[in-house]
Structure formats: C-alpha cells, structure tokens
Amino acid sequence: DAEATKTVQARLDTIAGPDFEQMMIGAAEVSSGLGGVFLRVSWDTTVRDHVFVSKVDPDMAWPEFKWGMLTAVTFWRTVGTENTRIWRHLERHEVDAAGVGVIFHGLYEGTANDLGRLVPLADRPETEALAGIVDADAKVSTLTEGLGAVYAPNILPSSLWRRDPLGANLGRSD
C-alpha cells in the first residue's frame, strides 16, 4: 500500500538523519581496509530524540557466529586512562530467549594487558548516563526482534582465514 510505504520511508529518513550518508562512506572506508564493519542500533537522547545507526570498526569487536550468521557481538572502547589504569566500556549485543535484542553494558577498570574488574557504570562520566537506563543485570532491551547489530563483510571469503572458526566468517580487505 502506498500510504504504508510513505510512512516507512518517513521513519527511515528520520532514523538516517542528515549525516547517515557520511557515516556510511566512513563505514565503507573502514570495511575496505579492515575487511568489514559493524553497524549497530544506537540511542542517546543528548544526541538525537530517536534511534540512529552508528558504526563500529571490526578491531573493536568480538563477534560470535553460528552457521555463518552473527549471533552476538561485544564492542569495546577505552573511555579513560590515568597512569597505568585504563577504563573500558563493553557493550554486548545478543538476543534473549524470546528472540528480542538486548544490550549489556559493563565498565571495567584494568591495565593495558588486563581487562580488570567490573566497576559501576556511574564511576565514569562517559558511561554515567547508562547507569540510569540499564536494569539490575546491566541490560537494556531493544524491544525488537533480532540482534541490534549487523556485520557487513567487505569481500568474502577470506582465503587466509577460511579454516579458522571465527575468521571464516570475516571479510577481507581490498
């Protein structure tokens, strides 16, 4: 139906926003050099009043595949350093027993060689806002069926990694 198509297109235009094209160009550049890129559902009311798509470089992700399909992925980023101490935010995307996407958030205080110990999200300004939205298990539901992240390989297969359980699912660079 034409009216439904217009409604869906309007929602997609809102989610994409004015910088979607530039973000996708950047994702393609990363994918070309590193063999792939991850795209995830994001929301941050200090940035936008609706959900949006963001990219994650593949060297900041630990994916899990089953039969060649992404079933879970953990993203990480360094949010602070002080002398030898490093704080990392881990964001794990998976689906619950009902098939709904969930995202777990954790803040870890460690060193360059050790992830370290789990500390409260409120301990760092970069993750403080998450402390108010996660449940007792440090989880947020996407309220939608399926994983809240996808992997877009650059070129498949990667002949160098074809026998590796994880690498066989990853793309190769140009």
Side-chain angles (χ1 to χ4, degrees), residues 79 87-88 106-109 117-121 123-124 127:
V79 295
W87 287 267
R88 295 176 184 91
L107 178 63
Y108 292 81
E109 180 185 350
R117 65 185 181 92
L118 183 65
V119 297
L121 290 165
D123 281 6
R124 294 289 308 183
T127 55

Side-chain angles (χ1 to χ4, degrees), residues 60-144:
M60 301 301 286
W62 189 261
E64 297 172 33
F65 294 93
K66 187 180 270 188
W67 299 104
M69 291 175 271
L70 185 67
T71 57
V73 60
T74 301
F75 301 125
W76 70 88
R77 65 188 174 107
T78 298
V79 295
T81 59
E82 184 179 299
N83 299 318
T84 60
R85 295 187 326 179
I86 299 174
W87 287 267
R88 295 176 184 91
H89 171 222
L90 273 64
E91 175 184 321
R92 179 171 172 76
H93 290 253
E94 60 184 60
V95 293
D96 65 15
V100 172
V102 293
I103 305 166
F104 291 90
H105 292 276
L107 178 63
Y108 292 81
E109 180 185 350
T111 64
N113 299 318
D114 182 30
L115 179 60
R117 65 185 181 92
L118 183 65
V119 297
L121 290 165
D123 281 6
R124 294 289 308 183
E126 300 87 353
T127 55
E128 185 176 26
L130 292 169
I133 63 169
V134 298
D135 67 11
D137 296 320
K139 176 181 70 179
V140 175
S141 175
T142 65
L143 303 175
T144 346

Side-chain angles (χ1 to χ4, degrees), residues 6 12 15-16 19 25 29 80 102 105 113 118 125-127 132 136 138 145 158 162:
K6 284 182 184 178
L12 286 172
I15 291 170
D19 55 352
I25 290 169
E29 280 293 320
V102 293
H105 292 276
N113 299 318
L118 183 65
E126 300 87 353
T127 55
E145 188 178 321
S158 176
R162 71 185 189 282

Side-chain angles (χ1 to χ4, degrees), residues 1 7 9 28 40 46 57 71 80 103 115 123 150 164:
D1 151 281
T7 302
Q9 186 61 56
R40 67 179 167 194
T46 66
D57 297 347
T71 57
I103 305 166
L115 179 60
D123 281 6
V150 297
D164 182 270

